[in-house]
Amino acid sequence: MTTPATDSRSVLFRQLGQVDYITTWHAMQDLTNSRGSRTGDEIWLLQHPPVFTQGQAGKAEHLLAPGDIPVVQVDRGGQVTYHGPGQLVAYLLVDLRRLRIGARELVTRIETSLVQTLAELDIEATPRADAPGVYTQGRKIASLGLRIRHGCSFHGLALNVDMDLEPFHRINPCGYQGLQMAQVKEFVNQPDFAAISARLADHLADNLGYTERQISTSPWTPA
């Protein structure tokens, strides 16, 4: 169930493990549609089974050869991307009005959190003004895709940690032909997924101004 918010400084992190994409997407929609002024902000940390997701303005030509991996048309921004085991996904279900930031600032703070997390792993990474996400050595290591509805965000980010990158060759990632992908595993021997997830959570909380943090392993359910 949703935790009531006492102020804009509190966030609930849900550590959900590997969960179905469509079920999780519908839960994000339901939470966002049911939000009130005192609904608490939440960040969901998870992984998905293999799935391609196509943004609301996505073009079919960027799906090259999806094969047996399902393709889901969704309501986030951006083009097509891939989710799979070993990729850290964080969905940000936050009230931007309460945080007093806009969508562009939210993207900046997410990218900053990713850069800080990767820096702690001795991976030098930077955002790009022309293409949202975070890049290292000219390759994309983290993707962003958000939707803002009634001043509240859902969807979020995906950080490649220790995964099979082959499915990215079946698409033009994020709509860019020939875009190469990277992952933490290339720079860190046996990356600790849970530790990286915790580091990213800390940076997201700090950069979004949360001082009170709660943790749950239960999925969101309607109140």
Side-chain angles (χ1 to χ4, degrees):
M1 61 184 297
T2 302
T3 302
T6 55
D7 56 40
S8 63
R9 302 298 179 183
S10 177
V11 63
L12 173 64
F13 286 99
R14 294 191 187 272
Q15 299 173 341
L16 302 178
Q18 187 175 137
V19 291
D20 175 73
Y21 182 84
I22 292 179
T23 301
T24 307
W25 170 38
H26 289 166
M28 283 194 287
Q29 291 176 316
D30 291 344
L31 189 159
T32 302
N33 290 336
S34 65
R35 290 192 74 124
S37 62
R38 291 183 57 80
T39 302
D41 288 350
E42 300 192 5
I43 298 176
W44 300 354
L45 301 165
L46 52 97
Q47 302 175 62
H48 287 306
V51 63
F52 293 115
T53 66
Q54 177 78 290
Q56 57 185 351
K59 297 179 180 179
E61 59 262 34
H62 295 310
L63 276 164
L64 305 178
D68 58 352
I69 298 177
V71 180
V72 181
Q73 303 289 328
V74 297
D75 52 356
R76 60 162 173 79
Q79 297 283 333
V80 64
T81 194
Y82 170 71
H83 298 304
Q87 183 188 67
L88 173 58
V89 176
Y91 291 136
L92 289 89
L93 297 118
V94 303
D95 187 332
L96 302 187
R97 297 165 300 186
R98 196 162 55 213
L99 293 178
R100 298 180 181 177
I101 63 174
R104 179 62 251 181
E105 181 63 22
L106 175 61
V107 168
T108 297
R109 296 189 190 195
I110 292 172
E111 290 175 334
T112 298
S113 300
L114 285 162
V115 169
Q116 292 170 333
T117 301
L118 292 166
E120 291 177 349
L121 300 168
D122 295 322
I123 302 172
E124 184 178 353
T126 57
R128 273 174 44 179
D130 63 327
V134 172
Y135 299 77
T136 182
Q137 299 178 359
R139 296 177 295 152
K140 193 167 195 176
I141 195 168
S143 304
L144 273 69
L146 293 164
R147 175 73 186 271
I148 310 298
R149 180 180 294 165
H150 305 307
C152 298
S153 67
F154 58 111
H155 295 287
L157 68 92
L159 172 62
N160 304 332
V161 177
D162 185 356
M163 62 186 300
D164 179 7
L165 295 178
E166 184 278 330
F168 283 108
H169 297 299
R170 308 187 194 184
I171 60 175
N172 291 327
C174 306
Y176 291 90
Q177 184 177 4
L179 177 64
Q180 298 297 306
M181 306 299 289
Q183 61 178 325
V184 172
K185 182 182 179 181
E186 299 171 36
F187 305 92
V188 177
N189 186 36
Q190 296 182 331
D192 186 330
F193 193 95
I196 294 170
S197 177
R199 290 183 183 192
L200 178 60
D202 284 343
H203 287 302
L204 286 170
D206 289 344
N207 287 314
L208 291 171
Y210 297 116
T211 55
E212 181 181 342
R213 307 168 194 182
Q214 302 175 40
I215 297 175
S216 173
T217 56
S218 300
W220 176 84
T221 56

